[in-house]
Amino acid sequence: MEPNNSQVNQRIATISAHLNPPNYSQMEGGSSLGRANCRAKGGSAGFKVAILGAAGGIGQPLAMLMKMNPLVSVLHLYDVVNTPGVTADISHMDTGAVVRGFLGQQQLEEALTGMDLVIIPAGVPRKPGMTRDDLFNINAGIVKTLCEGIAKCCPKAIVNLISNPVNSTVPIAAEVFKKAGTYDPRRLLGVTMLDVVRANTFVAEVMGLDPREVDVPVVGGHAGVTILPLLSQVKPPCSFTQKEIDYLTDRIQNGGTEVVEAKAGAGSATLSMAYAAVKFADACLRALRGDSGVVECAFVDSHVTELPFFASKVRLGRYGIEEVYPLGPLNEYERVGLEKAKKELGESIQKGVSFSKVSVYRTAVGLIQQNPNNA
């Protein structure tokens, strides 16, 4: 029995949903072929995840790895360029997640609607000679715009913020959500997992261990001296010489620079960052599912120190962060490092808060200039 025209059209629409980002505003009223949601037959139920910046150096491998995650049922890929190609490519993978692509600012809201988890690697990468602060002026505006979309379309989503400088972009995101009246500190997490991944790897190399069996708490922030590995709390317990402590601390703090210089202008730590981001996202999804004992390090709204944001171990649950753990006992080396970290971190946090306040002021001035009679 041959399929009728209606069935054929539906099949074509299903294929089209894989290959093209939705743009319903351009559909012609007379067309009988609209794009349909494409769901893998027999695909298991899971969570809806959006990646903002999915066509970038981090975004592409991140999207591929998230497509492989069995906890993901719907994967939305958003960027301002090249999303259709990335979507078509990743949609050919024979895993259960449904992939949809969204291109440009006009499709941001559609990309975000109904999401459970939003991962943000969007922004420009570091280049040789650049610090994370050099990225601030560009990436701060990008993060602000994306978080305004989140506040409007999926205010209950867990947000994993990767865009650098994380020490400043997380405070920006918090201010955006506060302005929108949607801020929930449990749901905003700056991703510092790459520092932990590096720490585990480098310690394992020095001690001759399997890195998968090493756990190094890394606290503070996500740039230079604000990255503080607590080598006194490594599991399994390890004894280091002072020379090893100096070497490991310096390498963990400057791991990003190591990759930028090694790539010689061809990019930054994109692959290891994507791996770390997926590892952290998987932890968030397992916690959303109801798994207990999910503990990871993240840069979050915190009372661990006098600073409003700080990276430390947190326990994740169905609504985001359930508990922020204290630092635990520090040795003298770590106490000195903590004071150095807090000084620079405080300045970076204030930079993000100040940016948000200036943006609000400029918006208000612009509205007054457009409507002087209402001022």
Side-chain angles (χ1 to χ4, degrees):
M1 179 179 176
E2 293 189 3
N4 58 39
N5 288 338
S6 176
Q7 291 173 321
V8 171
N9 286 347
Q10 182 59 38
R11 290 178 185 177
I12 295 174
T14 299
I15 296 171
S16 176
H18 266 314
L19 300 180
N20 300 287
N23 192 354
Y24 300 111
S25 62
Q26 294 182 4
M27 283 185 176
E28 307 243 338
S31 174
S32 62
L33 260 184
R35 294 193 180 100
N37 286 322
C38 183
R39 179 171 296 279
K41 208 168 188 179
S44 60
F47 296 100
K48 298 178 180 179
V49 178
I51 299 175
L52 309 184
I58 297 170
Q60 291 195 41
L62 171 57
M64 181 185 73
L65 292 170
M66 290 305 292
K67 177 73 165 74
M68 296 166 64
N69 191 311
L71 296 178
V72 179
S73 60
V74 175
L75 183 62
H76 282 189
L77 307 181
Y78 169 85
D79 215 320
V80 293
V81 293
N82 301 330
T83 325
V86 175
T87 304
D89 197 356
I90 289 177
S91 71
H92 292 183
M93 296 169 60
D94 59 348
T95 62
V98 179
V99 182
R100 301 298 304 276
F102 301 84
L103 181 64
Q105 181 68 31
Q106 71 278 9
Q107 293 187 351
L108 175 60
E109 292 186 7
E110 191 173 4
L112 289 170
T113 300
M115 295 296 104
D116 300 304
L117 174 68
V118 179
I119 309 171
I120 310 179
V124 299
R126 288 178 68 193
K127 297 178 181 178
M130 289 181 72
T131 65
R132 285 181 172 83
D133 279 345
D134 293 330
L135 305 178
F136 181 82
N137 288 334
I138 298 174
N139 288 356
I142 294 172
V143 168
K144 176 178 177 291
T145 299
L146 297 177
C147 288
E148 287 170 346
I150 293 169
K152 181 178 180 181
C153 301
C154 55
K156 299 295 185 182
I158 305 298
V159 178
N160 289 179
L161 187 50
I162 298 170
S163 306
N164 275 317
V166 167
N167 294 352
S168 299
T169 55
V170 169
I172 289 172
E175 292 298 317
V176 170
F177 296 147
K178 287 175 184 177
K179 181 186 174 186
T182 64
Y183 183 52
D184 183 345
R186 300 175 300 173
R187 300 178 186 272
L188 174 60
L189 303 102
V191 179
T192 60
M193 179 64 85
L194 182 53
D195 301 323
V196 176
V197 166
R198 286 172 173 152
N200 293 344
T201 300
F202 301 158
V203 166
E205 289 175 356
V206 168
M207 303 307 294
L209 300 170
D210 184 336
R212 293 170 296 181
E213 298 176 357
V214 176
D215 180 23
V216 184
V218 182
V219 303
H222 184 56
V225 298
T226 71
I227 301 169
L228 182 61
L230 301 183
L231 298 175
S232 67
Q233 299 180 25
V234 172
K235 293 180 181 178
C238 299
S239 295
F240 303 99
T241 66
Q242 189 58 50
K243 186 175 181 180
E244 288 171 335
I245 291 172
D246 290 338
Y247 164 78
L248 285 168
T249 300
D250 180 72
R251 193 175 180 203
I252 293 164
Q253 290 178 339
N254 295 292
T257 301
E258 180 181 319
V259 175
V260 169
E261 292 177 351
K263 288 191 174 181
S268 58
T270 53
L271 302 176
S272 55
M273 182 66 249
Y275 166 80
V278 168
K279 190 174 182 181
F280 187 74
D282 181 70
C284 291
L285 293 177
R286 285 186 286 112
L288 283 173
R289 182 176 62 182
D291 290 17
S292 60
V294 181
V295 177
E296 300 292 351
C297 290
F299 186 66
V300 300
D301 190 306
S302 175
H303 299 289
V304 167
T305 69
E306 64 273 21
L307 298 174
F309 296 92
F310 198 81
S312 63
K313 283 195 170 184
V314 301
R315 179 164 53 84
L316 302 170
R318 289 185 181 276
Y319 303 100
I321 301 165
E322 289 190 340
E323 183 178 2
V324 179
Y325 290 107
L327 297 180
L330 307 181
N331 60 31
E332 181 59 26
Y333 185 90
E334 291 161 350
R335 285 193 291 270
V336 171
L338 177 61
E339 293 307 311
K340 291 180 182 177
K342 288 195 296 185
K343 184 177 184 300
E344 184 169 317
L345 184 54
E347 295 171 356
S348 297
I349 292 170
Q350 186 55 48
K351 189 171 185 178
V353 173
S354 297
F355 171 84
S356 299
K357 290 181 178 178
V358 169
S359 296
V360 170
Y361 172 77
R362 287 176 177 169
T363 300
V365 170
L367 290 172
I368 292 171
Q369 290 174 342
Q370 292 174 20
N371 302 282
N373 294 331
N374 296 332

